[in-house]
Amino acid sequence: MATICAHRAPFAAAKPQAPDGGPRPPPPSAVGSPRWIRRSYCSLVARWWSAAERRSRKGEEEERPYLSAIGKAADPDGGAFQENGLLDPTLLAIGRTQNLGDDSVGEQRTEEPAGVLEELETNGDDSVSASRTVLDSSVEVSDSSTVPDSIVEETEAEKEVLVSSSALDVEEEEETDEQEQTQTRVTRTIVFVSAEAAPYSKTGGLGDVCGSLPISLAARGHRVMVVSPRYLHGVSNKNLANAIDTGVRIKVLCFGGEHEVSFYHEYRAGVDWVFVDHPSYHRPGNPYGDSNGAFGDNQFRFTILCYAACEAPLVLPLGGYTYGEKSLFIVNDWHASLVAVLLAAKYRPYGVYKDARSILVIHNLAHQGVEPATTFEYLGLPPQWYGALEWIFPTWARKHALDKGEAVNLLKGAIVTADRIVTVSQGYSWEITTAEGGHGLNELLNSRKFVLNGITNGIDTNEWNPTSDKHISFHYSVDDLSEKAQCKAALQKELGLPIRPDCPLIGFIGRLDYQKGIDVIRSALHELLQDDIQFIMLGSGDPETEDWMRWVESTNREKFRGWVGFNVPVSHRITAGCDILLMPSRYEPCGLNQLYAMRYGTVPVVNCTGGLRDTVENFDPFANDSSGQGTGWRFSPLSKESMLLKLRVAIQTFREHKASWEGLMKRGMSKDFSWDSAAIQYERIFDWTFVDPPYIR
């Protein structure tokens, strides 16, 4: 037993049974107990074993005098000594050792943790008996006449040493546990490739994801780079003021020529933000188009981005050294999809990036980067790779009878070459495998369902925080909702609506297009405005819908306001001031506005689709012993009637059941929608990605 204790072997490795039975001391927790408690347990088991064996051999052993601390006391038989007169090392393995009656097994005595009470008995007469109580790591001997004064003094001194060393052990272990919790299990070099990244460029959820998720991953110990275009919008971009020219230039061979690309770099929030500079990114408008529509050369512009992103980890010495070939590429939507194809077609065949992996993140499957088949030769890919991008439009989608429907689909190329595929919600990962939500790629996605996962997006909890939001005049929290009413009154005053705290205020924020269910709102609004409610809409898009918003406002001045365009401060004030947020989207890969609304105590009423179904829990007033559960209302199918039904239930709850309404608000505000939670799930996907070899080798 001494050997087991000396080598700190697991207690489960040896479970000796006492010769005459008897209960074995219970072991301490293997996880939560400090090391000094586990060491003391070894000595406790040793004494239990020794005492039990002596009881079984009672009457057969001879009394031996007490041994001194250094083993110099007289021992008639010398059984506990080696030839040099010192104690046997096996008896010294645990500390102070006293032989009380057996030549081979000495009873080992050492200081114990607080609260351990034990009595040890010796054979023969009781003159050598010692009743020992150990409290607060101290040693007390009841019959001090049998123990020399030198031993008592030495024991007291060692007690102080043990207490101090035990405290150090506990402190060191707590520090180690804290460090292990803050460090990730495996750190990786990660390269995000995206057409937009907030705050440098943003048109929707894609910019939010690529502006926030990299920061959360970097905070967890990963080395992260984000590669996106350097948009100057015709003049300059103040958000890029801190990005400096790296001096690195590369030549990209595509679209029948050689194009020079440069890199700008900014290190912020632990992330390397890399901006690809090319004249095609210097035009007015948003990243994809202007007032005349989408740019006609978008395929060229984002092909340049993909080539530059593949070269960036190899040529940019950021922080003194490059990211290297064992990088994990996160390619977002069709704009970055060519990265996965390039790795498989132009790098791995030549031994480059053979240990790299790629993950395709689909934010919106409706946008696939489809162009005429004749443009394939401009992409710079080997001819045999045409099949990876080949796309044939169904007959009903062709323009005329002679149209063969042949095209290239960049998103399809990433689906068949990426190592894994992720969508921005679990519900959407299922929807894209159906004929209704697959946009023609459902069969292909079904074939790769085993590597398809969904992770719900997070939100920037610093920017969207009702306790500190700079865009609202009054601040509140889940513990004190009083100021939310002030936000509502301030919004009504700003927009010229009557200030009525008791009137339900419904809001809509989003693009004015078919996906967002604008046609359903238009068909139901006249009937909805017959009720005593107020309605606010913020958005831009379809010109006809914009004109309709202006007309409705002019005819319903007391109940309706339409803000044509998009304004960030106003969107924050609408989110904080409204009672209900309406989202009748036909499909919603994730949706962020419902997350913002719940964060601000605004109750969402949504269509049951995609990320809306995943994030909004339907209200049940009778759950949890009638205390209620849920954070909003979901309706299905998407129709005028079902939407009006749920809206009226929400309006009635607001008016007549204040306690239930407050519970809805607080449950929504208590939800964790931070990017830290999403980052943990992404790390799991990263681990799975590197388990298998590259999908295309």
Side-chain angles (χ1 to χ4, degrees), residues 430-431 583-588 605-614 616 618 633-638:
W430 170 79
E431 286 184 4
M583 293 186 67
S585 303
R586 275 186 166 74
Y587 64 92
E588 196 67 67
V605 177
V606 303
N607 182 32
C608 189
T609 182
L612 302 180
R613 178 176 55 238
D614 292 346
V616 178
N618 218 23
W633 282 271
R634 303 191 303 248
F635 59 88
S636 182
L638 177 61

Side-chain angles (χ1 to χ4, degrees), residues 594-606:
Q594 84 277 11
L595 304 182
Y596 300 149
M598 288 187 283
R599 174 83 168 159
Y600 281 69
T602 300
V603 179
V605 177
V606 303

Side-chain angles (χ1 to χ4, degrees), residues 182-193 208-226 267-273 323 328-332 359 361 422 455 674-687:
T182 57
Q183 292 178 356
T184 53
R185 183 162 51 89
V186 178
T187 57
R188 306 191 185 280
T189 55
I190 304 171
V191 181
F192 281 80
V193 187
D208 288 323
V209 172
C210 295
S212 300
L213 178 58
I215 296 175
S216 295
L217 290 171
R220 296 180 61 80
H222 302 283
R223 191 183 185 202
V224 185
M225 175 197 302
V226 179
Y267 183 77
R268 179 182 62 85
V271 177
D272 291 303
W273 304 89
Y323 273 56
L328 174 61
F329 288 88
I330 311 297
V331 299
N332 295 272
I359 297 176
V361 181
V422 176
I455 299 176
S674 68
W675 273 111
D676 293 335
S677 177
I680 295 173
Q681 300 178 62
Y682 270 97
E683 286 178 334
R684 189 180 303 116
I685 302 296
F686 298 163
D687 293 340

Side-chain angles (χ1 to χ4, degrees), residues 126-292:
D126 294 334
S127 61
V128 195
S129 298
S131 179
R132 184 170 171 230
T133 302
V134 183
L135 293 173
D136 298 328
S137 300
S138 62
V139 178
E140 299 178 3
V141 181
S142 60
D143 190 3
S144 59
S145 62
T146 62
V147 183
D149 294 340
S150 61
I151 293 181
V152 175
E153 294 174 358
E154 189 173 347
T155 300
E156 292 296 330
E158 289 188 355
K159 176 193 69 173
E160 298 178 1
V161 174
L162 178 63
V163 171
S164 60
S165 64
S166 299
L168 289 174
D169 285 342
V170 174
E171 185 176 349
E172 290 175 359
E173 184 157 324
E174 289 177 352
E175 291 177 356
T176 302
D177 292 342
E178 290 177 0
Q179 292 174 357
E180 290 177 353
Q181 291 176 359
T182 57
Q183 292 178 356
T184 53
R185 183 162 51 89
V186 178
T187 57
R188 306 191 185 280
T189 55
I190 304 171
V191 181
F192 281 80
V193 187
S194 174
E196 52 184 279
Y200 308 101
S201 55
K202 174 186 172 181
T203 62
L206 173 60
D208 288 323
V209 172
C210 295
S212 300
L213 178 58
I215 296 175
S216 295
L217 290 171
R220 296 180 61 80
H222 302 283
R223 191 183 185 202
V224 185
M225 175 197 302
V226 179
V227 182
S228 65
R230 183 172 177 259
Y231 301 112
L232 295 184
H233 307 303
V235 184
S236 63
N237 187 344
K238 63 180 181 180
N239 293 322
L240 297 171
N242 295 325
I244 61 174
D245 190 350
T246 63
V248 177
R249 304 288 188 272
I250 64 171
K251 302 288 186 180
V252 175
L253 296 175
C254 66
F255 283 81
E258 187 176 78
H259 308 276
E260 184 177 271
V261 172
S262 59
F263 297 93
Y264 284 71
H265 172 248
E266 177 184 354
Y267 183 77
R268 179 182 62 85
V271 177
D272 291 303
W273 304 89
V274 174
F275 304 99
V276 179
D277 190 50
H278 186 269
S280 63
Y281 304 136
H282 298 173
R283 62 188 62 160
N286 63 48
Y288 314 112
D290 54 19
S291 58
N292 297 318

